[in-house]
Amino acid sequence: MNKKPLAIIVMAIALIVLLSPFIYNAFGTGLFSKVPRPEIKIEKEGKCVRDTEYMRRNHMNILLHSRDEAVREGVRAKDDSLNNCRSCHPSRGDFCIKCHSYIGAKPECFECHYYPKKAER
Amino acid sequence: MDRRAFIKIGGALTIGTVLGQGFQFYQAVADSKGEKTSALAKNKWGMLIDLNKCDAGCTACVDACRKENNVPLFGDKERDIHWIRKASVKQKFPNAREQSVPLLCNHCENPACVQVCPTMASFVRKDGIVLVDKHRCIGCRYCMIACPYKARSFVFKETHDWTNKDVPKRMHGVVEKCDLCVHRIDKGQKPACVEACANANNGAMVFGDLNDPESGISKLIANNAVQQIRADLGLKPKVYYIGM
Amino acid sequence: MKIQFTTIEGKSFQFYAILVILSILAAAGLYASYRMFEGGHYITGMTNQVPWGFPIVMAVYLIGLSAGSLVLSSLSSVFGKKEYKVFSRVAVYLAALLLMAGLMSITLDWGRPDRLMIPFTYFNFNSMFSWNAFLYSAYIGICVVYLMAMFAEKEKLVTFIGAVAVIWAVAVHSGTGAIFGFIHARELYHSPLLAPSFIAAALSSGTGLMILILLGTFKFTNRPLDNRLILGLSKLLSGFILIVLYFIFIENLTRFYAFGLREAEHYYLFEGLHSKVFWIGLILTGSIIPAAILFFPKTNKSIPWIALASFMVVIGVLAERYIIVIPAQTYPLDQFPGKEVSSVFLDGAYANYLISLPEAAQAVGIVAIVGIMFILGLKLLELLPTEAVIHDTEKK
């Protein structure tokens, strides 16, 4: 019994299922037009702890590094801490969540750590 | 499958397994060697509790701890989280005197919990505080099995109490315990329970540096009949008791 | 004479019916695990007094079955019992499946199963769990290579890997025993005997399961099965039952003799729910009745009786795992030897543990997944011989 046609059909279906998010985004409602690029509001203009370009790509690494240093070595670097982010970006809703929901990243930091969704003032 | 294909795939699998595991070992060794020496290493924090001064009806230390560290009560006795608790202890003898003993993590020098932790989420900080890295804990609860002091609690349920926003609240699925208020120690303050005990005019709890022979706690330990809980297990607990 | 291994046809109504039933059970189990992961472990019977519940019992049990199965598969290749070659492939395949099921039971019990890779990236040399992560992952690799060597019919390679596999199975299950045996804090765990007695229980439950699997699959697929094969295995089983009993006897006698441990031992043997599991589950169902069946001349040659005895052993070893894991936790920690303690954290109080519905559903689901993978394996891989008959000429 030749099973080849069946196998090809199954593989094709699997491939379509796997690629469905990309297909949906590309052809479903026009190329990448489904979700608009988020507008980011920065409360206190000025210099961040690193360049903007570096921060965009590497803020999570800075936070992870300072997290491990703080927890395991007791080095509480003030600049690189989550609390220091809040001094210029007082609310998570206007800053973190916008990009994170745009790219679908779900950091767990705020399940336990305090960072208000709306600015408290 | 012919012989050659079999040998190729089998060989690749074996080599892959061996290399993968070998790399793990290498990394683990490198990790343990690359530890930084830090300023913390000069201190060794410990605690002394004078039971003669401890009032049986007073729960100042427990309340302060709950408030400072957001330690939640679920109203379910078997699953509540306790960082410090007061136990009543008495001899098995008719009309024996009941003694109220605050029990907390002993911050052992040879902690059984750290020994068994598969991910090194439980670790001893350089200044002798035994901590749980909740970012790394997988919630296997082996440490709770290994600890002879019942110092650890599992977070069975997510909590929302948040009295002190400087300290995280809880998400379920990790193990936690007394951290000797490490965030306060790093600021040069004393643990919340010690402060509360002094404010309640008991002063039964003394916190200090065991490395420094001139510190208050070292002098008290040197000049009193002190006891540790289950010292026979060889874990070298750093919480001492007077009058037990 | 060469043994022909073929796949089963797997087109009958019963075949699909079994698959559907097992899939429903598996889905229910996974849903229970999801609830534990999403909502928290408060829905289980586990507490801060008993942090390890039924999932750990199941994990230890499944890993034991796996180790026993792998040792049995090597009877023909390593120990020269050629007549047992007929089930060596099935045994290795089952060993790999059961170990993965055991690991699944452990990881789904974690508070944070999403952090699955962390134990592999941070290695603690002092932790038995870390060592087991290494032993288990290599074990699965060995099973796969072993199975491939068998498919390729390479006698010498099979013998070599078989020897490695036996050693590794013993190491793996000793490691599992050491998880408990190394714990100094709890007097009912701390024992050097746990590692060897785990292996004895693994062999007895593995043999019992193999008898049941052989009888079941050969009957279901209408392939001839020689009774002498089952009789041989049942002799092994009767021996293993006695070894398990011996270990239990020595361990409890030692604890009973020491005055300091007598209170704990009294609790272990005569108080609480677990003591009933001990006497009825392990001693009566798991040891005495099957041993009687297998030694009594009127029943020890009858296949239905042997099947019953095997089934009882398989259940009895589950009871053994339960009474190893649970009572050591429900018995209070001795923080103040010789004194009475009480507190809001239930210090000094006997704890209760009852298996909750999610834990039971998860356990059944995991066993169902093993079942699905097993019958799919029979359909897709050449695991089962066309006939399992001992040829008298072969033996000479």
Side-chain angles (χ1 to χ4, degrees):
Chain A
M1 196 180 74
N2 191 357
K3 282 185 180 166
K4 259 185 193 162
L6 185 73
I8 289 169
I9 290 168
V10 169
M11 276 159 75
I13 291 172
L15 204 65
I16 289 169
V17 170
L18 271 176
L19 294 177
S20 58
F22 298 100
I23 296 169
Y24 177 75
N25 266 336
F27 306 110
T29 45
L31 199 65
F32 301 120
S33 65
K34 182 98 196 332
V35 185
R37 254 185 104 96
E39 294 271 327
I40 287 164
K41 195 174 102 195
I42 293 171
E43 200 100 332
K44 203 175 100 189
E45 292 289 342
K47 219 172 152 282
C48 198
V49 291
R50 309 275 196 289
D51 317 336
T52 312
E53 205 44 46
Y54 186 83
M55 285 308 286
R56 279 197 185 140
R57 298 203 173 276
N58 296 304
H59 62 278
M60 64 299 256
N61 296 333
I62 293 175
L63 284 171
L64 279 183
H65 183 74
S66 80
R67 175 193 92 184
D68 284 350
E69 291 253 282
V71 174
R72 304 186 81 88
E73 307 284 338
V75 181
R76 293 179 190 263
K78 269 221 165 111
D79 282 357
D80 292 355
S81 72
L82 211 51
N83 272 338
N84 196 32
C85 297
R86 271 171 60 199
S87 60
C88 298
H89 316 289
S91 80
R92 195 152 53 90
D94 289 340
F95 189 63
C96 315
I97 293 176
K98 277 189 174 169
C99 277
H100 286 160
S101 67
Y102 177 66
I103 60 162
K106 276 186 193 150
E108 286 173 337
C109 312
F110 314 113
E111 306 261 340
C112 305
H113 288 278
Y114 184 68
Y115 203 140
K117 256 191 176 172
K118 282 184 184 147
E120 287 179 339
R121 240 178 264 162
Chain B
M1 189 187 294
D2 70 352
R3 179 188 298 185
R4 201 167 276 180
F6 167 73
I7 289 170
K8 265 186 203 159
I9 297 174
L13 269 176
T14 322
I15 291 168
T17 313
V18 170
L19 278 185
Q21 300 290 356
F23 183 65
Q24 258 185 41
F25 277 120
Y26 170 76
Q27 253 194 341
V29 172
D31 275 0
S32 59
K33 275 183 185 163
E35 277 178 14
K36 290 170 220 152
T37 50
S38 79
L40 297 176
K42 76 172 171 37
N43 297 323
K44 189 165 91 179
W45 301 119
M47 195 184 277
L48 175 79
I49 301 174
D50 188 341
L51 296 180
N52 301 322
K53 292 183 188 167
C54 181
D55 178 5
C58 168
T59 55
C61 51
V62 181
D63 300 337
C65 177
R66 289 204 180 277
K67 217 170 142 194
E68 174 70 26
N69 295 303
N70 308 320
V71 181
L73 281 174
F74 300 120
D76 176 353
K77 245 187 166 185
E78 292 181 312
R79 296 180 180 85
D80 278 343
I81 297 172
H82 293 266
W83 282 22
I84 181 168
R85 62 195 188 270
K86 291 191 82 181
S88 93
V89 181
K90 65 175 184 185
Q91 295 279 4
K92 284 180 188 164
F93 196 77
N95 301 327
R97 185 171 64 98
E98 253 188 39
Q99 210 169 20
S100 179
V101 183
L103 293 174
L104 67 160
C105 172
N106 280 277
H107 296 275
C108 311
E109 278 178 62
N110 300 329
C113 51
V114 171
Q115 191 182 26
V116 301
C117 179
T119 61
M120 295 196 287
S122 287
F123 64 101
V124 190
R125 213 169 75 146
K126 301 283 184 322
D127 52 0
I129 306 175
V130 179
L131 291 175
V132 186
D133 187 345
K134 285 170 209 156
H135 308 102
R136 201 189 276 188
C137 174
I138 54 174
C140 71
R141 314 194 279 292
Y142 198 7
C143 49
M144 296 175 73
I145 297 286
C147 174
Y149 302 111
K150 223 176 150 195
R152 291 172 165 253
S153 308
F154 184 64
V155 188
F156 279 92
K157 203 157 54 167
E158 197 177 339
T159 72
H160 303 285
D161 312 349
W162 217 343
T163 48
N164 180 6
K165 299 259 191 330
D166 288 339
V167 174
K169 70 176 171 82
R170 305 300 192 281
M171 99 195 269
H172 73 82
V174 292
V175 172
E176 66 173 48
K177 66 170 194 69
C178 162
D179 60 9
L180 224 51
C181 286
V182 67
H183 58 286
R184 291 170 63 95
I185 291 177
D186 285 350
K187 281 190 271 183
Q189 294 169 318
K190 285 178 179 174
C193 53
V194 177
E195 210 174 84
C197 188
N199 289 343
N201 291 324
N202 288 327
M205 298 172 108
V206 181
F207 169 81
D209 185 3
L210 299 174
N211 270 352
D212 175 11
E214 295 303 311
S215 67
I217 186 172
S218 296
K219 281 183 182 163
L220 279 169
I221 290 172
N223 299 321
N224 281 290
V226 292
Q227 245 186 319
Q228 296 143 298
I229 302 176
R230 288 307 300 269
D232 60 314
L233 292 174
L235 306 181
K236 297 191 184 170
K238 286 204 291 285
V239 175
Y240 293 82
Y241 292 87
I242 293 179
M244 192 155 71
Chain C
M1 208 177 105
K2 209 159 183 269
I3 305 164
Q4 287 290 326
F5 289 91
T6 58
T7 58
I8 61 167
E9 216 163 68
K11 285 211 171 80
S12 63
F13 172 73
Q14 289 98 317
F15 180 84
Y16 286 108
I18 291 175
L19 265 187
V20 168
I21 292 169
L22 289 178
S23 304
I24 292 169
L25 291 175
L30 289 177
Y31 176 70
S33 310
Y34 172 75
R35 285 290 307 277
M36 271 158 74
F37 169 60
E38 193 58 30
H41 281 57
Y42 70 97
I43 57 169
T44 67
M46 288 176 260
T47 60
N48 278 329
Q49 281 65 49
V50 187
W52 277 358
F54 198 58
I56 297 289
V57 176
M58 273 313 278
V60 174
Y61 176 61
L62 290 168
I63 292 166
L65 283 175
S66 168
S69 196
L70 194 62
V71 172
L72 278 187
S73 76
S74 300
L75 280 178
S76 67
S77 56
V78 181
F79 300 103
K81 297 267 180 205
K82 290 289 169 228
E83 64 269 27
Y84 292 139
K85 199 188 166 188
V86 284
F87 63 77
S88 56
R89 289 184 181 187
V90 175
V92 177
Y93 182 64
L94 202 61
L97 281 188
L98 287 168
L99 191 93
M100 284 189 244
L103 289 182
M104 210 166 133
S105 193
I106 293 180
T107 44
L108 289 177
D109 176 53
W110 288 355
R112 300 298 308 271
D114 51 323
R115 294 182 180 167
L116 179 65
M117 288 322 286
I118 291 186
F120 294 93
T121 46
Y122 299 102
F123 197 91
N124 179 4
F125 285 104
N126 295 319
S127 171
M128 275 326 293
F129 258 18
S130 277
W131 281 104
N132 282 339
F134 163 69
L135 288 171
Y136 295 157
S137 49
Y139 182 97
I140 294 172
I142 288 174
C143 283
V144 171
V145 176
Y146 194 13
L147 204 58
M148 286 170 70
M150 284 177 174
F151 285 145
E153 296 278 355
K154 306 197 63 75
E155 288 290 332
K156 274 186 183 158
L157 193 64
V158 167
T159 311
F160 172 71
I161 301 174
V164 174
V166 170
I167 294 167
W168 210 268
V170 171
V172 157
H173 213 49
S174 303
T176 313
I179 288 176
F180 305 98
F182 282 6
I183 298 300
H184 194 178
R186 295 174 192 263
E187 50 250 88
L188 290 173
Y189 276 156
H190 193 233
S191 157
L193 270 188
L194 271 189
S197 78
F198 262 49
I199 291 172
L203 289 171
S204 77
S205 61
T207 314
L209 183 71
M210 190 47 62
I211 291 176
L212 292 178
I213 292 271
L214 285 179
L215 289 173
T217 48
F218 278 81
K219 186 159 188 163
F220 201 75
T221 53
N222 286 325
R223 300 186 185 198
L225 174 67
D226 197 326
N227 281 353
R228 277 177 292 177
L229 217 92
I230 299 295
L231 290 180
L233 279 179
S234 77
K235 286 214 180 69
L236 279 178
L237 180 61
S238 59
F240 292 144
I241 293 173
L242 294 186
I243 297 173
V244 171
L245 264 180
Y246 169 75
F247 275 121
I248 292 167
F249 179 70
I250 287 291
E251 188 155 23
N252 286 295
L253 192 64
T254 310
R255 282 203 288 251
F256 201 76
Y257 191 81
F259 287 117
L261 296 176
R262 198 170 274 183
E263 202 184 319
E265 181 61 16
H266 188 268
Y267 173 74
Y268 187 77
L269 289 184
F270 303 115
E271 289 168 45
L273 183 68
H274 62 268
S275 63
K276 295 187 183 71
V277 176
F278 179 84
W279 290 109
I280 299 172
L282 173 60
I283 299 297
L284 206 64
T285 317
S287 308
I288 299 209
I289 297 177
I293 292 173
L294 295 176
F295 283 104
F296 190 56
K298 271 187 183 160
T299 50
N300 72 357
K301 301 246 165 14
S302 130
I303 297 298
W305 279 106
I306 291 175
L308 178 68
S310 308
F311 181 70
M312 289 174 113
V313 169
V314 170
I315 296 298
V317 171
L318 179 59
E320 196 226 359
R321 304 314 195 187
Y322 181 90
I323 58 121
I324 284 173
V325 175
I326 302 297
Q329 300 174 66
T330 52
Y331 186 70
L333 284 166
D334 203 5
Q335 297 189 70
F336 297 92
K339 294 185 181 176
E340 271 174 39
V341 197
S342 63
S343 81
V344 284
F345 200 28
L346 308 171
D347 286 292
Y350 296 109
N352 291 311
Y353 174 74
L354 275 176
I355 300 169
S356 64
L357 185 65
E359 289 166 88
Q362 179 183 297
V364 172
I366 287 170
V367 173
I369 291 173
V370 173
I372 294 170
M373 295 297 288
F374 182 69
I375 57 176
L376 284 182
L378 289 181
K379 186 174 175 178
L380 300 173
L381 300 168
E382 293 169 348
L383 294 172
L384 217 57
T386 44
E387 52 169 12
V389 180
I390 299 172
H391 298 279
D392 288 325
T393 48
E394 205 179 306
K395 278 193 147 180
K396 279 167 194 171

